[in-house]
Amino acid sequence: TGWLPGKGRLAKTMGKLIIAQRIVGPKLWEIGRVGSGVDDATRKAAMRWTYPCVVTIKYDKQETDSRALRFPVFVRKHPDKTVEECK
């Protein structure tokens, strides 16, 4: 749904993506942030993406009570999909 600036050497680029999940209807529920798995070129490009957008995230497990993801890792952006197509 957006991004946060980085710190240290990443101060001038995207540090973390704010990730959300579509559960029921059009509403997006924030489920965490992910910064690992993102290379420098993608960090710079992410600052120009139109949000919300669709990305693939790998993770260990999703908490049942908060829906938060454990150990999320960015895989890739899906320019071929819209948020409305996600279930």
Side-chain angles (χ1 to χ4, degrees):
T1 59
W3 60 275
L4 299 170
K7 297 178 182 176
R9 78 169 188 85
L10 301 175
K12 296 183 180 182
T13 63
M14 182 276 297
K16 293 185 179 191
L17 290 171
I18 302 168
I19 53 176
Q21 181 179 22
R22 194 168 181 198
I23 299 169
V24 176
K27 184 169 171 94
L28 295 173
W29 298 85
E30 187 175 324
I31 57 173
R33 298 166 183 180
V34 62
S36 61
V38 186
D39 60 29
D40 289 342
T42 303
R43 287 181 190 281
K44 290 178 185 174
M47 295 168 60
R48 297 182 307 274
W49 293 347
T50 301
Y51 292 93
C53 62
V54 179
V55 297
T56 299
I57 304 290
K58 290 191 316 185
Y59 55 91
D60 181 43
K61 73 176 194 173
Q62 187 168 16
E63 302 295 339
T64 54
D65 55 343
S66 65
R67 299 195 185 275
L69 302 180
R70 285 188 61 176
F71 311 117
V73 177
F74 174 84
V75 177
R76 73 182 192 101
K77 181 181 185 234
H78 285 278
D80 58 325
K81 296 190 185 266
T82 65
V83 174
E84 292 74 29
E85 291 178 277
C86 297
K87 295 182 180 179

Short mmCIF file of all heavy atoms in Angstrom, two decimals, residues 6 13 16-17 39 48 58 85 87:
data_model
loop_
_atom_site.label_atom_id
_atom_site.label_comp_id
_atom_site.label_asym_id
_atom_site.label_seq_id
_atom_site.Cartn_x
_atom_site.Cartn_y
_atom_site.Cartn_z
N GLY A 6 14.30 4.38 3.94
CA GLY A 6 15.29 3.57 4.62
C GLY A 6 16.12 4.37 5.61
O GLY A 6 15.94 5.58 5.76
N THR A 13 16.44 5.98 -0.37
CA THR A 13 15.61 5.06 -1.14
C THR A 13 14.52 4.45 -0.26
O THR A 13 14.41 4.77 0.92
CB THR A 13 16.44 3.90 -1.75
OG1 THR A 13 17.01 3.14 -0.68
CG2 THR A 13 17.53 4.40 -2.67
N LYS A 16 11.30 0.00 3.40
CA LYS A 16 10.35 -1.09 3.58
C LYS A 16 9.07 -0.81 2.83
O LYS A 16 8.63 0.33 2.73
CB LYS A 16 10.01 -1.26 5.07
CG LYS A 16 11.16 -1.73 5.90
CD LYS A 16 10.75 -1.98 7.32
CE LYS A 16 11.97 -2.46 8.10
NZ LYS A 16 11.62 -2.97 9.39
N LEU A 17 8.48 -1.87 2.30
CA LEU A 17 7.15 -1.79 1.70
C LEU A 17 6.12 -2.06 2.79
O LEU A 17 6.31 -2.96 3.62
CB LEU A 17 6.98 -2.84 0.60
CG LEU A 17 7.77 -2.64 -0.67
CD1 LEU A 17 7.64 -3.88 -1.55
CD2 LEU A 17 7.30 -1.41 -1.41
N ASP A 39 16.38 -5.73 -3.88
CA ASP A 39 17.70 -5.25 -4.30
C ASP A 39 17.67 -3.72 -4.48
O ASP A 39 16.61 -3.10 -4.44
CB ASP A 39 18.17 -5.95 -5.57
CG ASP A 39 17.26 -5.75 -6.76
OD1 ASP A 39 16.58 -4.71 -6.84
OD2 ASP A 39 17.23 -6.63 -7.63
N ARG A 48 8.70 4.98 -7.25
CA ARG A 48 7.91 5.52 -8.35
C ARG A 48 6.68 4.68 -8.68
O ARG A 48 5.90 5.04 -9.57
CB ARG A 48 8.78 5.67 -9.60
CG ARG A 48 9.92 6.65 -9.43
CD ARG A 48 10.73 6.82 -10.71
NE ARG A 48 11.22 5.58 -11.29
CZ ARG A 48 12.36 4.99 -10.94
NH1 ARG A 48 13.12 5.51 -10.02
NH2 ARG A 48 12.73 3.86 -11.52
N LYS A 58 7.23 -14.06 0.25
CA LYS A 58 7.39 -15.37 0.90
C LYS A 58 7.46 -15.11 2.40
O LYS A 58 8.00 -14.08 2.82
CB LYS A 58 8.68 -16.07 0.46
CG LYS A 58 8.67 -16.55 -0.95
CD LYS A 58 9.85 -17.46 -1.28
CE LYS A 58 11.17 -16.96 -0.75
NZ LYS A 58 12.31 -17.77 -1.16
N GLU A 85 -8.03 -7.96 -8.61
CA GLU A 85 -7.94 -9.36 -9.01
C GLU A 85 -7.52 -10.27 -7.85
O GLU A 85 -7.67 -11.49 -7.94
CB GLU A 85 -6.93 -9.54 -10.14
CG GLU A 85 -7.37 -8.93 -11.45
CD GLU A 85 -6.31 -9.09 -12.51
OE1 GLU A 85 -5.38 -8.26 -12.54
OE2 GLU A 85 -6.41 -10.06 -13.30
N LYS A 87 -7.55 -12.12 -4.25
CA LYS A 87 -8.57 -12.62 -3.33
C LYS A 87 -7.96 -12.94 -2.01
O LYS A 87 -6.84 -13.24 -1.85
CB LYS A 87 -9.24 -13.85 -3.89
CG LYS A 87 -10.01 -13.55 -5.14
CD LYS A 87 -10.70 -14.78 -5.64
CE LYS A 87 -11.46 -14.46 -6.90
NZ LYS A 87 -12.14 -15.57 -7.46
#
